[in-house]
Amino acid sequence: MDAKKEKGIHLFTKDDAQQTSQDRDDTNTDTSLISRPDIPVWRISLSLVLLFLNYFLAQYDKFILSYFQDDVISSLHLSSTSYGLLSGYATGIVYALLALPTAFVADYTSARVWVLTVAAIWWSLCAIFQGLSHDFWQILLARIGMGVGQAPVEALSVSLISDLMGKQYVFFGASVLYVGVYIGEAVSGQIAVAFARTGTPWNTALIAIGIVGVVVALLVRVVVREPQRQISLVMASNLNHQGPTSAAVPSRLVTARKDILSTFRYLARMRSFWLLALSAAFRQLAGNVFGYYMPSYLSNLYPSEASLLSRYGIIVGVVGSVAVLTGGLLTSLFWHRTKVLPLYLTGIGGMISSVFVLLMLFSRNVSGDNQGRGVKVLYGTMSIAYLTAELWLGAMNSLIALLLPPRTKTFGLAVWSLVQVLIYSSGPEIVGLAMRTTEPRSSAYIEKTRIALAVMIPIGYWLAGVGFLLAVPLVKLDLAGRFVEGRLSWSGRKGFFLTGGCVLGVLVVSLFTVSIYYKA
């Protein structure tokens, strides 16, 4: 047996390695791989700020639907099923369909910044159209358009950050990006309270966000520069996996097709990727249900607390931001000692958090139905829940980006996101269908919401936690370049992944069809 093969250096077949690495290094010097980027700190900082603002604004429509759930339902005459559809697969399916082709364009035209700019302008216009909607079908079409614009944002942003900064600092840089999620919650809480006091309609916020989004999109295009791609973690530790130089110069289309196929083979041969993707999907499902239903549930649980949403937003914004930055910082600090710290932070943190989420949901019960004591329990347990659960986003997605082939990392990140979106978008759909016959704001609605949250969030956290912990030894094997070797057969890994994809597709179509049926 070949000595290199015994060490597990080859990631896939010899031909695959030649096609996906050295050939393109020698034939496309504009994007030749580098070991470490050499970009001025001021440009990195400014680029990171703009990517953060763009990502924050791209997520903002979700916060509006969440914090203004009751107002949205009443003003557009929605049912619980309709709301679940808007917050679930209305954007999820389009996001999944377009994430891969947009990532493909970005990778093979060296136009990640251009694609991100066009996407930002598009979702900004769709945010304005959401604000101008007057019924379910109008806002549904606007949200479908929003999904088109949102599809490439996360993958492109993480991909750019992973090439703007040295590997050790990518985790912290991506964590700064994901602070946008928590800042969005904080701002939404303040807007919700201010709008309630002044009688300002909810759609005003969406129109304003759309206008600001166009401005930020133009700034992204002017300021952010396309960085050279740096080698991956696997390549850094196994440089010998690159095949010999090819004298032939294939066309861009032929090279792209071969690289995409090799990327899928790369992902299929990775021991950890699919377990990590499923675990992250269940973690996101729990977070998605939490985000869309928790604010309105707590508002109805504590109707006399006029400032509840404001304080809720502040806790999410401050504690969530501190948590995600801490996760990225810890990963960077312990980088030379271990590269799997994000798995422990996510897995164990989520399991601990699930206990405090349950205390949040039943805070009024454990306080003897006293609202004054109940909100104190709520704020305390919520702070701990966020501190333990939100360490993961930046560190985990950075780890995935650095494990993927450099030339097609945006495409690989899009696959990573696609699996998650198709799974976590089912959360609101399921909750909406479960409460389709229940009148919003009624006591029965509150009780059913509590049951749904108490079941789906802890289960999602624990499934994710177990999956991430089981993936630790698999990630270590992948980092060492010890991928699955041999021929991929339809009776083996190929067939397994195809079957899993078909099952997931059937579930998505079924849930979406049933939701449309009950809406009609």
Side-chain angles (χ1 to χ4, degrees), residues 178-475:
Y178 286 109
V179 166
V181 175
Y182 310 104
I183 297 298
E185 290 268 12
V187 174
S188 298
Q190 310 318 305
I191 290 178
V193 173
F195 278 24
R197 289 174 178 170
T198 60
T200 306
W202 60 272
N203 49 8
T204 302
L206 281 171
I207 295 172
I209 289 300
I211 295 172
V212 176
V214 172
V215 176
V216 172
L218 296 176
L219 288 174
V220 166
R221 181 63 199 96
V222 171
V223 175
V224 181
R225 296 286 184 266
E226 182 75 29
Q228 285 184 287
R229 301 180 187 243
Q230 62 175 320
I231 60 177
S232 69
L233 286 174
V234 178
M235 293 173 68
S237 58
N238 298 286
L239 290 173
N240 290 330
H241 88 279
Q242 301 183 38
T245 302
S246 172
V249 181
S251 70
R252 182 180 295 272
L253 183 61
V254 171
T255 302
R257 181 181 64 82
K258 290 181 178 180
D259 276 4
I260 292 301
L261 292 176
S262 292
T263 300
F264 276 118
R265 287 195 291 268
Y266 184 102
L267 298 179
R269 292 182 182 279
M270 284 183 69
R271 298 179 186 273
S272 64
F273 182 84
W274 300 102
L275 179 56
L276 290 175
L278 287 174
S279 301
F282 285 117
R283 174 62 184 79
Q284 292 278 39
L285 186 149
N288 206 31
V289 172
F290 191 115
Y292 274 115
Y293 288 95
M294 188 66 79
S296 61
Y297 165 75
L298 294 176
S299 295
N300 291 322
L301 188 64
Y302 294 100
S304 63
E305 295 293 326
S307 60
L308 186 140
L309 287 181
S310 174
R311 293 176 180 175
Y312 176 97
I314 291 173
I315 291 174
V316 174
V318 174
V319 179
S321 298
V322 169
V324 73
L325 289 174
T326 300
L329 185 60
L330 287 174
T331 304
S332 294
L333 290 175
F334 289 95
W335 166 256
H336 295 294
R337 184 172 301 180
T338 177
K339 295 176 176 60
V340 294
L341 184 60
L343 304 183
Y344 290 109
L345 293 176
T346 310
I348 297 174
M351 292 176 178
I352 295 173
S353 179
S354 65
V355 177
F356 294 97
V357 170
L358 289 174
L359 289 173
M360 283 177 60
L361 293 169
F362 294 92
S363 56
R364 187 162 172 173
N365 299 71
V366 299
S367 304
D369 203 31
N370 183 296
Q371 289 198 46
R373 291 198 299 268
V375 291
K376 292 179 181 179
V377 174
L378 169 65
Y379 296 148
T381 55
M382 181 179 173
S383 299
I384 301 175
Y386 263 89
L387 188 61
T388 52
E390 303 303 322
L391 296 161
W392 76 295
L393 269 177
M396 180 63 66
N397 287 330
S398 297
L399 178 63
I400 298 301
L402 293 174
L403 280 169
L404 294 172
R407 303 238 181 253
T408 55
K409 72 169 66 176
T410 311
F411 187 82
L413 284 168
V415 175
W416 163 260
S417 298
L418 180 149
V419 174
Q420 294 179 60
V421 168
L422 290 178
I423 293 176
Y424 76 63
S425 294
S426 67
E429 300 274 349
I430 294 170
V431 175
L433 288 171
M435 298 192 294
R436 66 184 183 276
T437 59
T438 308
E439 185 68 23
R441 295 191 179 184
S442 64
S443 58
Y445 185 87
I446 296 173
E447 184 60 28
K448 285 188 176 182
T449 302
R450 173 162 50 193
I451 293 172
L453 296 176
V455 172
M456 296 182 73
I457 295 174
I459 288 178
Y461 280 179
W462 275 83
L463 286 176
V466 171
F468 283 125
L469 294 178
L470 289 176
V472 169
L474 303 180
V475 171

Side-chain angles (χ1 to χ4, degrees), residues 1 47 78 133 187 246 291 420 432 439 484:
M1 182 180 290
S47 299
L78 304 178
S133 300
V187 174
S246 172
Q420 294 179 60
E439 185 68 23
V484 173

Side-chain angles (χ1 to χ4, degrees), residues 16-306:
D16 292 334
Q18 293 172 358
Q19 293 166 1
T20 56
S21 56
Q22 193 67 39
D23 284 353
R24 296 207 61 193
D25 287 344
D26 294 332
T27 61
N28 193 0
T29 55
D30 287 341
T31 54
S32 59
L33 303 185
I34 56 176
S35 297
R36 184 181 180 86
D38 184 19
I39 301 173
V41 174
W42 68 267
R43 184 170 291 280
I44 294 175
S45 302
L46 192 55
S47 299
L48 198 55
V49 169
L50 288 172
L51 292 173
F52 158 78
L53 287 174
N54 183 59
Y55 182 72
F56 155 63
L57 294 171
Q59 308 299 311
Y60 204 80
D61 64 314
K62 301 176 184 178
F63 305 133
I64 297 299
L65 285 181
S66 173
Y67 279 81
F68 292 90
Q69 179 182 346
D70 292 338
D71 293 335
V72 172
I73 289 175
S74 61
S75 65
L76 297 178
H77 309 291
L78 304 178
S79 65
S80 298
T81 303
S82 300
Y83 178 81
L85 190 61
L86 291 176
S87 52
Y89 285 128
T91 55
I93 292 178
V94 178
Y95 184 110
L97 290 175
L98 292 179
L100 296 186
T102 51
F104 176 87
V105 171
D107 276 334
Y108 287 98
T109 59
S110 296
R112 287 178 288 182
V113 178
W114 263 113
V115 174
L116 187 61
T117 301
V118 173
I121 292 174
W122 178 261
W123 66 248
S124 297
L125 295 175
C126 290
I128 294 174
F129 291 144
Q130 285 186 72
L132 298 174
S133 300
H134 296 291
D135 59 36
F136 169 76
W137 295 108
Q138 289 179 0
I139 195 171
L140 176 64
L141 291 175
R143 285 194 58 70
I144 289 173
M146 190 81 178
V148 174
Q150 289 175 333
V153 172
E154 183 175 10
L156 285 171
S157 300
V158 175
S159 178
L160 286 167
I161 290 172
S162 70
D163 289 325
L164 283 167
M165 311 175 74
K167 294 183 185 64
Q168 182 176 353
Y169 306 104
V170 169
F171 301 97
F172 184 73
S175 297
V176 172
L177 176 76
Y178 286 109
V179 166
V181 175
Y182 310 104
I183 297 298
E185 290 268 12
V187 174
S188 298
Q190 310 318 305
I191 290 178
V193 173
F195 278 24
R197 289 174 178 170
T198 60
T200 306
W202 60 272
N203 49 8
T204 302
L206 281 171
I207 295 172
I209 289 300
I211 295 172
V212 176
V214 172
V215 176
V216 172
L218 296 176
L219 288 174
V220 166
R221 181 63 199 96
V222 171
V223 175
V224 181
R225 296 286 184 266
E226 182 75 29
Q228 285 184 287
R229 301 180 187 243
Q230 62 175 320
I231 60 177
S232 69
L233 286 174
V234 178
M235 293 173 68
S237 58
N238 298 286
L239 290 173
N240 290 330
H241 88 279
Q242 301 183 38
T245 302
S246 172
V249 181
S251 70
R252 182 180 295 272
L253 183 61
V254 171
T255 302
R257 181 181 64 82
K258 290 181 178 180
D259 276 4
I260 292 301
L261 292 176
S262 292
T263 300
F264 276 118
R265 287 195 291 268
Y266 184 102
L267 298 179
R269 292 182 182 279
M270 284 183 69
R271 298 179 186 273
S272 64
F273 182 84
W274 300 102
L275 179 56
L276 290 175
L278 287 174
S279 301
F282 285 117
R283 174 62 184 79
Q284 292 278 39
L285 186 149
N288 206 31
V289 172
F290 191 115
Y292 274 115
Y293 288 95
M294 188 66 79
S296 61
Y297 165 75
L298 294 176
S299 295
N300 291 322
L301 188 64
Y302 294 100
S304 63
E305 295 293 326

